[in-house]
Amino acid sequence: MIPHLFTLMTKPEKAWADIRRDEAKNSSKYIPHLLLFTLLPAICMFIGTRYVGWSLVDAERIRLDTRSALLLSGLIYITIILGTFIMGLLLRWLSRHFESRATFNQCVGFVAYIISPFLIAGLGALYPTRWMAIFVLLAAGAYSTYLLFIGLPRFMHIDKRKTFFYGACTWGIGLLVLVNLKVPMILFWVLALDPTYERTVQEAQSYGTQDERPQEEPGGL
């Protein structure tokens, strides 16, 4: 599992050949990879939102309380797992139109390995800032796209002449799944689970102590 992850990041062509060979022996070998590595962004999100926090203004630091951070991390973990299986199901349906004989397990495993850069990018959640999020997501998206187009002919046995169209369809489906899972998850967390924000305001020269500084109502992420 770990060697496949390392090889995917360094020698993706060899990695896809190895993954396909291992899949022939055990079609569910992707499950430990998915379940374990999905913990990475969830744990990093908990640490970043609970102990590091983010800032909307220079003199203020916002964090989540333990309960809210745990609920957010748990929802992220469940959403990634659910989204991977939904993508696998849709990829299986799409593969029929490209004369691919990939099974459901193969499609889910393919998606699980493709999203590996995004799981690694979860390390950016340790320091939850806007620019950090933009940078790691763009980098992860670029490399995931590369893995997708390299892996389609080698793992999914798609005709190389159809790789671009199949890959574009896969990305379109991926964005659709992301929006339809991520938005309801965030709304559920904000509206139903009632997160609690903790604000730390640095002492300003215009006020004698931090307690004398006017307090604002907690805002959102």
Side-chain angles (χ1 to χ4, degrees), residues 30-31 33-35 38 76-92 104-116 118-119 173-174 177-178 181:
Y30 68 88
I31 292 179
H33 173 92
L34 177 63
L35 296 180
T38 303
I76 288 174
Y77 183 83
I78 293 171
T79 300
I80 294 174
I81 300 294
L82 181 61
T84 302
F85 278 92
I86 292 176
M87 270 296 300
L89 180 64
L90 295 175
L91 204 61
R92 173 71 182 93
F104 173 70
N105 264 343
Q106 289 172 339
C107 291
V108 176
F110 184 63
V111 174
Y113 283 103
I114 282 179
I115 66 172
S116 295
F118 283 102
L119 301 182
I173 292 175
V177 171
L178 177 65
L181 285 179

mmCIF file of all heavy atoms in Angstrom, residues 30-31 33-35 38 76-92 104-116 118-119 173-174 177-178 181:
data_model
loop_
_atom_site.group_PDB
_atom_site.id
_atom_site.type_symbol
_atom_site.label_atom_id
_atom_site.label_comp_id
_atom_site.label_asym_id
_atom_site.label_seq_id
_atom_site.Cartn_x
_atom_site.Cartn_y
_atom_site.Cartn_z
ATOM 1 N N TYR A 30 -7.417 -1.940 -2.502
ATOM 2 C CA TYR A 30 -7.438 -0.490 -2.382
ATOM 3 C C TYR A 30 -8.076 -0.029 -1.074
ATOM 4 O O TYR A 30 -7.877 1.120 -0.650
ATOM 5 C CB TYR A 30 -8.228 0.116 -3.547
ATOM 6 C CG TYR A 30 -9.697 -0.195 -3.500
ATOM 7 C CD1 TYR A 30 -10.591 0.609 -2.805
ATOM 8 C CD2 TYR A 30 -10.208 -1.327 -4.141
ATOM 9 C CE1 TYR A 30 -11.945 0.306 -2.746
ATOM 10 C CE2 TYR A 30 -11.551 -1.629 -4.093
ATOM 11 C CZ TYR A 30 -12.422 -0.818 -3.393
ATOM 12 O OH TYR A 30 -13.746 -1.119 -3.335
ATOM 13 N N ILE A 31 -8.860 -0.899 -0.421
ATOM 14 C CA ILE A 31 -9.627 -0.480 0.755
ATOM 15 C C ILE A 31 -8.736 0.024 1.887
ATOM 16 O O ILE A 31 -9.005 1.095 2.456
ATOM 17 C CB ILE A 31 -10.555 -1.620 1.232
ATOM 18 C CG1 ILE A 31 -11.659 -1.850 0.184
ATOM 19 C CG2 ILE A 31 -11.174 -1.294 2.589
ATOM 20 C CD1 ILE A 31 -12.622 -2.961 0.531
ATOM 21 N N HIS A 33 -5.796 1.325 1.658
ATOM 22 C CA HIS A 33 -5.241 2.599 1.169
ATOM 23 C C HIS A 33 -6.246 3.722 1.374
ATOM 24 O O HIS A 33 -5.905 4.789 1.904
ATOM 25 C CB HIS A 33 -4.887 2.457 -0.310
ATOM 26 C CG HIS A 33 -4.478 3.749 -0.956
ATOM 27 N ND1 HIS A 33 -3.167 4.169 -1.027
ATOM 28 C CD2 HIS A 33 -5.217 4.717 -1.561
ATOM 29 C CE1 HIS A 33 -3.111 5.343 -1.631
ATOM 30 N NE2 HIS A 33 -4.341 5.696 -1.976
ATOM 31 N N LEU A 34 -7.483 3.463 0.993
ATOM 32 C CA LEU A 34 -8.518 4.501 1.082
ATOM 33 C C LEU A 34 -8.856 4.831 2.529
ATOM 34 O O LEU A 34 -8.879 6.010 2.927
ATOM 35 C CB LEU A 34 -9.766 4.040 0.333
ATOM 36 C CG LEU A 34 -10.978 4.977 0.373
ATOM 37 C CD1 LEU A 34 -10.646 6.310 -0.294
ATOM 38 C CD2 LEU A 34 -12.174 4.321 -0.305
ATOM 39 N N LEU A 35 -9.105 3.809 3.344
ATOM 40 C CA LEU A 35 -9.550 4.040 4.717
ATOM 41 C C LEU A 35 -8.465 4.675 5.579
ATOM 42 O O LEU A 35 -8.758 5.532 6.423
ATOM 43 C CB LEU A 35 -10.003 2.723 5.348
ATOM 44 C CG LEU A 35 -11.218 2.048 4.707
ATOM 45 C CD1 LEU A 35 -11.563 0.759 5.442
ATOM 46 C CD2 LEU A 35 -12.430 2.988 4.687
ATOM 47 N N THR A 38 -7.298 8.400 4.079
ATOM 48 C CA THR A 38 -8.332 9.420 4.237
ATOM 49 C C THR A 38 -8.306 10.010 5.640
ATOM 50 O O THR A 38 -8.809 11.108 5.877
ATOM 51 C CB THR A 38 -9.717 8.818 3.933
ATOM 52 O OG1 THR A 38 -9.715 8.278 2.612
ATOM 53 C CG2 THR A 38 -10.816 9.874 4.009
ATOM 54 N N ILE A 76 -15.778 15.234 7.031
ATOM 55 C CA ILE A 76 -14.847 15.224 5.895
ATOM 56 C C ILE A 76 -14.424 13.797 5.562
ATOM 57 O O ILE A 76 -14.391 13.401 4.392
ATOM 58 C CB ILE A 76 -13.618 16.097 6.215
ATOM 59 C CG1 ILE A 76 -14.011 17.578 6.190
ATOM 60 C CG2 ILE A 76 -12.478 15.835 5.229
ATOM 61 C CD1 ILE A 76 -12.922 18.515 6.622
ATOM 62 N N TYR A 77 -14.140 13.014 6.588
ATOM 63 C CA TYR A 77 -13.732 11.623 6.372
ATOM 64 C C TYR A 77 -14.847 10.830 5.677
ATOM 65 O O TYR A 77 -14.618 10.148 4.671
ATOM 66 C CB TYR A 77 -13.393 10.979 7.712
ATOM 67 C CG TYR A 77 -12.887 9.558 7.594
ATOM 68 C CD1 TYR A 77 -11.559 9.290 7.309
ATOM 69 C CD2 TYR A 77 -13.755 8.481 7.777
ATOM 70 C CE1 TYR A 77 -11.093 7.984 7.202
ATOM 71 C CE2 TYR A 77 -13.304 7.174 7.668
ATOM 72 C CZ TYR A 77 -11.974 6.932 7.389
ATOM 73 O OH TYR A 77 -11.527 5.634 7.266
ATOM 74 N N ILE A 78 -16.050 10.948 6.194
ATOM 75 C CA ILE A 78 -17.191 10.221 5.619
ATOM 76 C C ILE A 78 -17.461 10.688 4.192
ATOM 77 O O ILE A 78 -17.746 9.873 3.302
ATOM 78 C CB ILE A 78 -18.441 10.423 6.501
ATOM 79 C CG1 ILE A 78 -18.235 9.745 7.863
ATOM 80 C CG2 ILE A 78 -19.686 9.858 5.821
ATOM 81 C CD1 ILE A 78 -19.323 10.062 8.875
ATOM 82 N N THR A 79 -17.364 11.985 3.946
ATOM 83 C CA THR A 79 -17.636 12.530 2.619
ATOM 84 C C THR A 79 -16.639 12.009 1.591
ATOM 85 O O THR A 79 -17.019 11.668 0.465
ATOM 86 C CB THR A 79 -17.590 14.071 2.658
ATOM 87 O OG1 THR A 79 -18.579 14.551 3.575
ATOM 88 C CG2 THR A 79 -17.869 14.654 1.286
ATOM 89 N N ILE A 80 -15.363 11.934 1.960
ATOM 90 C CA ILE A 80 -14.353 11.433 1.024
ATOM 91 C C ILE A 80 -14.610 9.964 0.691
ATOM 92 O O ILE A 80 -14.564 9.559 -0.476
ATOM 93 C CB ILE A 80 -12.942 11.604 1.610
ATOM 94 C CG1 ILE A 80 -12.599 13.096 1.744
ATOM 95 C CG2 ILE A 80 -11.900 10.920 0.718
ATOM 96 C CD1 ILE A 80 -11.274 13.357 2.439
ATOM 97 N N ILE A 81 -14.895 9.154 1.708
ATOM 98 C CA ILE A 81 -15.164 7.733 1.485
ATOM 99 C C ILE A 81 -16.401 7.564 0.609
ATOM 100 O O ILE A 81 -16.386 6.818 -0.390
ATOM 101 C CB ILE A 81 -15.371 6.999 2.818
ATOM 102 C CG1 ILE A 81 -14.126 7.109 3.704
ATOM 103 C CG2 ILE A 81 -15.733 5.531 2.558
ATOM 104 C CD1 ILE A 81 -12.916 6.410 3.155
ATOM 105 N N LEU A 82 -17.471 8.254 0.966
ATOM 106 C CA LEU A 82 -18.717 8.150 0.203
ATOM 107 C C LEU A 82 -18.516 8.627 -1.228
ATOM 108 O O LEU A 82 -18.979 7.991 -2.186
ATOM 109 C CB LEU A 82 -19.810 8.966 0.899
ATOM 110 C CG LEU A 82 -21.199 8.949 0.242
ATOM 111 C CD1 LEU A 82 -21.758 7.533 0.197
ATOM 112 C CD2 LEU A 82 -22.152 9.881 1.001
ATOM 113 N N GLY A 83 -17.822 9.755 -1.400
ATOM 114 C CA GLY A 83 -17.586 10.297 -2.730
ATOM 115 C C GLY A 83 -16.769 9.353 -3.600
ATOM 116 O O GLY A 83 -17.012 9.248 -4.805
ATOM 117 N N THR A 84 -15.804 8.650 -2.997
ATOM 118 C CA THR A 84 -14.979 7.708 -3.757
ATOM 119 C C THR A 84 -15.822 6.557 -4.295
ATOM 120 O O THR A 84 -15.679 6.159 -5.464
ATOM 121 C CB THR A 84 -13.849 7.157 -2.873
ATOM 122 O OG1 THR A 84 -13.056 8.246 -2.393
ATOM 123 C CG2 THR A 84 -12.968 6.207 -3.653
ATOM 124 N N PHE A 85 -16.720 6.029 -3.475
ATOM 125 C CA PHE A 85 -17.566 4.914 -3.926
ATOM 126 C C PHE A 85 -18.591 5.378 -4.966
ATOM 127 O O PHE A 85 -18.885 4.650 -5.919
ATOM 128 C CB PHE A 85 -18.255 4.255 -2.735
ATOM 129 C CG PHE A 85 -17.389 3.275 -2.012
ATOM 130 C CD1 PHE A 85 -16.615 3.675 -0.932
ATOM 131 C CD2 PHE A 85 -17.317 1.954 -2.420
ATOM 132 C CE1 PHE A 85 -15.797 2.777 -0.267
ATOM 133 C CE2 PHE A 85 -16.508 1.042 -1.762
ATOM 134 C CZ PHE A 85 -15.742 1.451 -0.681
ATOM 135 N N ILE A 86 -19.110 6.582 -4.789
ATOM 136 C CA ILE A 86 -20.048 7.110 -5.794
ATOM 137 C C ILE A 86 -19.325 7.327 -7.123
ATOM 138 O O ILE A 86 -19.842 7.001 -8.197
ATOM 139 C CB ILE A 86 -20.687 8.423 -5.294
ATOM 140 C CG1 ILE A 86 -21.605 8.142 -4.115
ATOM 141 C CG2 ILE A 86 -21.469 9.102 -6.421
ATOM 142 C CD1 ILE A 86 -22.211 9.381 -3.490
ATOM 143 N N MET A 87 -18.115 7.887 -7.055
ATOM 144 C CA MET A 87 -17.328 8.074 -8.274
ATOM 145 C C MET A 87 -17.027 6.736 -8.945
ATOM 146 O O MET A 87 -17.062 6.615 -10.173
ATOM 147 C CB MET A 87 -16.016 8.785 -7.946
ATOM 148 C CG MET A 87 -16.084 10.297 -8.009
ATOM 149 S SD MET A 87 -16.424 10.902 -9.677
ATOM 150 C CE MET A 87 -15.012 10.258 -10.584
ATOM 151 N N GLY A 88 -16.722 5.725 -8.139
ATOM 152 C CA GLY A 88 -16.466 4.404 -8.698
ATOM 153 C C GLY A 88 -17.675 3.843 -9.417
ATOM 154 O O GLY A 88 -17.563 3.254 -10.500
ATOM 155 N N LEU A 89 -18.853 4.045 -8.825
ATOM 156 C CA LEU A 89 -20.094 3.576 -9.447
ATOM 157 C C LEU A 89 -20.350 4.294 -10.772
ATOM 158 O O LEU A 89 -20.691 3.660 -11.784
ATOM 159 C CB LEU A 89 -21.260 3.801 -8.489
ATOM 160 C CG LEU A 89 -22.645 3.359 -8.976
ATOM 161 C CD1 LEU A 89 -22.683 1.848 -9.188
ATOM 162 C CD2 LEU A 89 -23.723 3.776 -7.967
ATOM 163 N N LEU A 90 -20.168 5.605 -10.774
ATOM 164 C CA LEU A 90 -20.380 6.371 -12.001
ATOM 165 C C LEU A 90 -19.316 6.055 -13.047
ATOM 166 O O LEU A 90 -19.609 6.030 -14.255
ATOM 167 C CB LEU A 90 -20.386 7.868 -11.680
ATOM 168 C CG LEU A 90 -21.541 8.354 -10.798
ATOM 169 C CD1 LEU A 90 -21.373 9.818 -10.437
ATOM 170 C CD2 LEU A 90 -22.875 8.134 -11.503
ATOM 171 N N LEU A 91 -18.098 5.811 -12.598
ATOM 172 C CA LEU A 91 -17.031 5.448 -13.525
ATOM 173 C C LEU A 91 -17.311 4.089 -14.155
ATOM 174 O O LEU A 91 -17.015 3.867 -15.332
ATOM 175 C CB LEU A 91 -15.695 5.431 -12.784
ATOM 176 C CG LEU A 91 -14.421 5.645 -13.617
ATOM 177 C CD1 LEU A 91 -14.449 6.991 -14.299
ATOM 178 C CD2 LEU A 91 -13.188 5.527 -12.725
ATOM 179 N N ARG A 92 -17.876 3.177 -13.358
ATOM 180 C CA ARG A 92 -18.258 1.862 -13.901
ATOM 181 C C ARG A 92 -19.320 2.021 -14.981
ATOM 182 O O ARG A 92 -19.263 1.367 -16.036
ATOM 183 C CB ARG A 92 -18.788 0.994 -12.758
ATOM 184 C CG ARG A 92 -19.372 -0.351 -13.214
ATOM 185 C CD ARG A 92 -18.286 -1.278 -13.681
ATOM 186 N NE ARG A 92 -18.828 -2.532 -14.162
ATOM 187 C CZ ARG A 92 -19.139 -2.806 -15.424
ATOM 188 N NH1 ARG A 92 -18.932 -1.890 -16.357
ATOM 189 N NH2 ARG A 92 -19.629 -3.967 -15.778
ATOM 190 N N PHE A 104 -16.685 -2.986 -10.717
ATOM 191 C CA PHE A 104 -16.957 -1.919 -9.754
ATOM 192 C C PHE A 104 -15.774 -1.735 -8.816
ATOM 193 O O PHE A 104 -15.355 -0.611 -8.532
ATOM 194 C CB PHE A 104 -18.219 -2.244 -8.957
ATOM 195 C CG PHE A 104 -18.487 -1.294 -7.830
ATOM 196 C CD1 PHE A 104 -18.877 0.023 -8.078
ATOM 197 C CD2 PHE A 104 -18.343 -1.702 -6.505
ATOM 198 C CE1 PHE A 104 -19.118 0.904 -7.034
ATOM 199 C CE2 PHE A 104 -18.588 -0.828 -5.463
ATOM 200 C CZ PHE A 104 -18.974 0.480 -5.726
ATOM 201 N N ASN A 105 -15.208 -2.840 -8.323
ATOM 202 C CA ASN A 105 -14.045 -2.750 -7.438
ATOM 203 C C ASN A 105 -12.865 -2.075 -8.121
ATOM 204 O O ASN A 105 -12.144 -1.273 -7.514
ATOM 205 C CB ASN A 105 -13.636 -4.152 -6.970
ATOM 206 C CG ASN A 105 -14.228 -4.495 -5.613
ATOM 207 O OD1 ASN A 105 -14.668 -3.617 -4.886
ATOM 208 N ND2 ASN A 105 -14.253 -5.769 -5.288
ATOM 209 N N GLN A 106 -12.643 -2.392 -9.378
ATOM 210 C CA GLN A 106 -11.553 -1.769 -10.125
ATOM 211 C C GLN A 106 -11.765 -0.271 -10.272
ATOM 212 O O GLN A 106 -10.826 0.517 -10.145
ATOM 213 C CB GLN A 106 -11.418 -2.431 -11.491
ATOM 214 C CG GLN A 106 -10.860 -3.846 -11.451
ATOM 215 C CD GLN A 106 -10.918 -4.547 -12.794
ATOM 216 O OE1 GLN A 106 -11.698 -4.171 -13.670
ATOM 217 N NE2 GLN A 106 -10.099 -5.572 -12.968
ATOM 218 N N CYS A 107 -12.995 0.117 -10.529
ATOM 219 C CA CYS A 107 -13.293 1.546 -10.701
ATOM 220 C C CYS A 107 -13.118 2.309 -9.396
ATOM 221 O O CYS A 107 -12.551 3.413 -9.373
ATOM 222 C CB CYS A 107 -14.717 1.718 -11.232
ATOM 223 S SG CYS A 107 -14.946 1.144 -12.932
ATOM 224 N N VAL A 108 -13.598 1.728 -8.289
ATOM 225 C CA VAL A 108 -13.433 2.384 -6.992
ATOM 226 C C VAL A 108 -11.947 2.467 -6.629
ATOM 227 O O VAL A 108 -11.463 3.491 -6.141
ATOM 228 C CB VAL A 108 -14.217 1.644 -5.892
ATOM 229 C CG1 VAL A 108 -13.948 2.276 -4.526
ATOM 230 C CG2 VAL A 108 -15.702 1.672 -6.190
ATOM 231 N N GLY A 109 -11.211 1.363 -6.883
ATOM 232 C CA GLY A 109 -9.777 1.377 -6.599
ATOM 233 C C GLY A 109 -9.044 2.403 -7.437
ATOM 234 O O GLY A 109 -8.136 3.084 -6.943
ATOM 235 N N PHE A 110 -9.436 2.530 -8.686
ATOM 236 C CA PHE A 110 -8.819 3.524 -9.572
ATOM 237 C C PHE A 110 -9.019 4.932 -9.018
ATOM 238 O O PHE A 110 -8.079 5.729 -8.947
ATOM 239 C CB PHE A 110 -9.430 3.400 -10.966
ATOM 240 C CG PHE A 110 -8.826 4.306 -11.997
ATOM 241 C CD1 PHE A 110 -7.496 4.177 -12.356
ATOM 242 C CD2 PHE A 110 -9.585 5.288 -12.616
ATOM 243 C CE1 PHE A 110 -6.922 5.008 -13.316
ATOM 244 C CE2 PHE A 110 -9.028 6.125 -13.569
ATOM 245 C CZ PHE A 110 -7.691 5.978 -13.922
ATOM 246 N N VAL A 111 -10.238 5.236 -8.593
ATOM 247 C CA VAL A 111 -10.531 6.549 -8.016
ATOM 248 C C VAL A 111 -9.756 6.749 -6.723
ATOM 249 O O VAL A 111 -9.212 7.835 -6.465
ATOM 250 C CB VAL A 111 -12.044 6.706 -7.762
ATOM 251 C CG1 VAL A 111 -12.338 8.012 -7.037
ATOM 252 C CG2 VAL A 111 -12.819 6.645 -9.075
ATOM 253 N N ALA A 112 -9.679 5.709 -5.892
ATOM 254 C CA ALA A 112 -8.992 5.820 -4.605
ATOM 255 C C ALA A 112 -7.528 6.202 -4.782
ATOM 256 O O ALA A 112 -6.983 7.001 -4.009
ATOM 257 C CB ALA A 112 -9.101 4.497 -3.843
ATOM 258 N N TYR A 113 -6.885 5.648 -5.801
ATOM 259 C CA TYR A 113 -5.475 5.984 -6.037
ATOM 260 C C TYR A 113 -5.326 7.338 -6.731
ATOM 261 O O TYR A 113 -4.352 8.057 -6.501
ATOM 262 C CB TYR A 113 -4.800 4.891 -6.852
ATOM 263 C CG TYR A 113 -4.462 3.667 -6.022
ATOM 264 C CD1 TYR A 113 -5.234 2.518 -6.099
ATOM 265 C CD2 TYR A 113 -3.391 3.689 -5.141
ATOM 266 C CE1 TYR A 113 -4.929 1.398 -5.331
ATOM 267 C CE2 TYR A 113 -3.079 2.585 -4.361
ATOM 268 C CZ TYR A 113 -3.861 1.440 -4.469
ATOM 269 O OH TYR A 113 -3.558 0.347 -3.679
ATOM 270 N N ILE A 114 -6.288 7.704 -7.583
ATOM 271 C CA ILE A 114 -6.220 9.000 -8.262
ATOM 272 C C ILE A 114 -6.291 10.155 -7.269
ATOM 273 O O ILE A 114 -5.628 11.180 -7.432
ATOM 274 C CB ILE A 114 -7.356 9.123 -9.298
ATOM 275 C CG1 ILE A 114 -7.002 8.337 -10.557
ATOM 276 C CG2 ILE A 114 -7.599 10.577 -9.685
ATOM 277 C CD1 ILE A 114 -8.084 8.386 -11.604
ATOM 278 N N ILE A 115 -7.108 10.007 -6.223
ATOM 279 C CA ILE A 115 -7.271 11.108 -5.268
ATOM 280 C C ILE A 115 -6.156 11.149 -4.232
ATOM 281 O O ILE A 115 -6.187 12.003 -3.330
ATOM 282 C CB ILE A 115 -8.637 11.034 -4.551
ATOM 283 C CG1 ILE A 115 -8.712 9.778 -3.669
ATOM 284 C CG2 ILE A 115 -9.776 11.071 -5.548
ATOM 285 C CD1 ILE A 115 -9.953 9.734 -2.795
ATOM 286 N N SER A 116 -5.159 10.275 -4.355
ATOM 287 C CA SER A 116 -4.046 10.264 -3.391
ATOM 288 C C SER A 116 -3.389 11.639 -3.226
ATOM 289 O O SER A 116 -3.081 12.041 -2.099
ATOM 290 C CB SER A 116 -2.998 9.228 -3.793
ATOM 291 O OG SER A 116 -3.527 7.925 -3.713
ATOM 292 N N PHE A 118 -4.738 14.519 -3.401
ATOM 293 C CA PHE A 118 -5.623 15.348 -2.576
ATOM 294 C C PHE A 118 -5.543 14.930 -1.107
ATOM 295 O O PHE A 118 -5.636 15.780 -0.212
ATOM 296 C CB PHE A 118 -7.063 15.239 -3.073
ATOM 297 C CG PHE A 118 -7.339 16.034 -4.310
ATOM 298 C CD1 PHE A 118 -7.418 15.420 -5.546
ATOM 299 C CD2 PHE A 118 -7.516 17.409 -4.240
ATOM 300 C CE1 PHE A 118 -7.661 16.151 -6.701
ATOM 301 C CE2 PHE A 118 -7.758 18.156 -5.384
ATOM 302 C CZ PHE A 118 -7.837 17.524 -6.610
ATOM 303 N N LEU A 119 -5.403 13.628 -0.853
ATOM 304 C CA LEU A 119 -5.274 13.166 0.527
ATOM 305 C C LEU A 119 -3.973 13.673 1.142
ATOM 306 O O LEU A 119 -3.958 14.111 2.292
ATOM 307 C CB LEU A 119 -5.324 11.635 0.575
ATOM 308 C CG LEU A 119 -6.594 10.989 0.004
ATOM 309 C CD1 LEU A 119 -6.539 9.477 0.165
ATOM 310 C CD2 LEU A 119 -7.847 11.554 0.661
ATOM 311 N N ILE A 173 -17.598 14.421 -14.014
ATOM 312 C CA ILE A 173 -18.358 13.681 -13.009
ATOM 313 C C ILE A 173 -17.796 13.940 -11.614
ATOM 314 O O ILE A 173 -18.538 14.100 -10.641
ATOM 315 C CB ILE A 173 -18.328 12.174 -13.335
ATOM 316 C CG1 ILE A 173 -19.121 11.891 -14.614
ATOM 317 C CG2 ILE A 173 -18.893 11.350 -12.176
ATOM 318 C CD1 ILE A 173 -19.040 10.459 -15.079
ATOM 319 N N GLY A 174 -16.456 14.012 -11.521
ATOM 320 C CA GLY A 174 -15.836 14.273 -10.234
ATOM 321 C C GLY A 174 -16.244 15.612 -9.641
ATOM 322 O O GLY A 174 -16.546 15.712 -8.451
ATOM 323 N N VAL A 177 -19.874 15.347 -8.419
ATOM 324 C CA VAL A 177 -19.967 14.627 -7.153
ATOM 325 C C VAL A 177 -19.461 15.494 -6.001
ATOM 326 O O VAL A 177 -20.059 15.543 -4.920
ATOM 327 C CB VAL A 177 -19.174 13.310 -7.228
ATOM 328 C CG1 VAL A 177 -19.081 12.652 -5.845
ATOM 329 C CG2 VAL A 177 -19.830 12.351 -8.212
ATOM 330 N N LEU A 178 -18.348 16.209 -6.237
ATOM 331 C CA LEU A 178 -17.774 17.069 -5.198
ATOM 332 C C LEU A 178 -18.762 18.133 -4.741
ATOM 333 O O LEU A 178 -18.975 18.325 -3.535
ATOM 334 C CB LEU A 178 -16.501 17.732 -5.734
ATOM 335 C CG LEU A 178 -15.810 18.724 -4.792
ATOM 336 C CD1 LEU A 178 -15.288 18.011 -3.565
ATOM 337 C CD2 LEU A 178 -14.676 19.446 -5.510
ATOM 338 N N LEU A 181 -21.827 16.717 -2.810
ATOM 339 C CA LEU A 181 -21.544 16.157 -1.492
ATOM 340 C C LEU A 181 -20.998 17.205 -0.533
ATOM 341 O O LEU A 181 -21.383 17.266 0.630
ATOM 342 C CB LEU A 181 -20.535 15.006 -1.608
ATOM 343 C CG LEU A 181 -21.053 13.677 -2.161
ATOM 344 C CD1 LEU A 181 -19.925 12.661 -2.222
ATOM 345 C CD2 LEU A 181 -22.195 13.122 -1.308
#
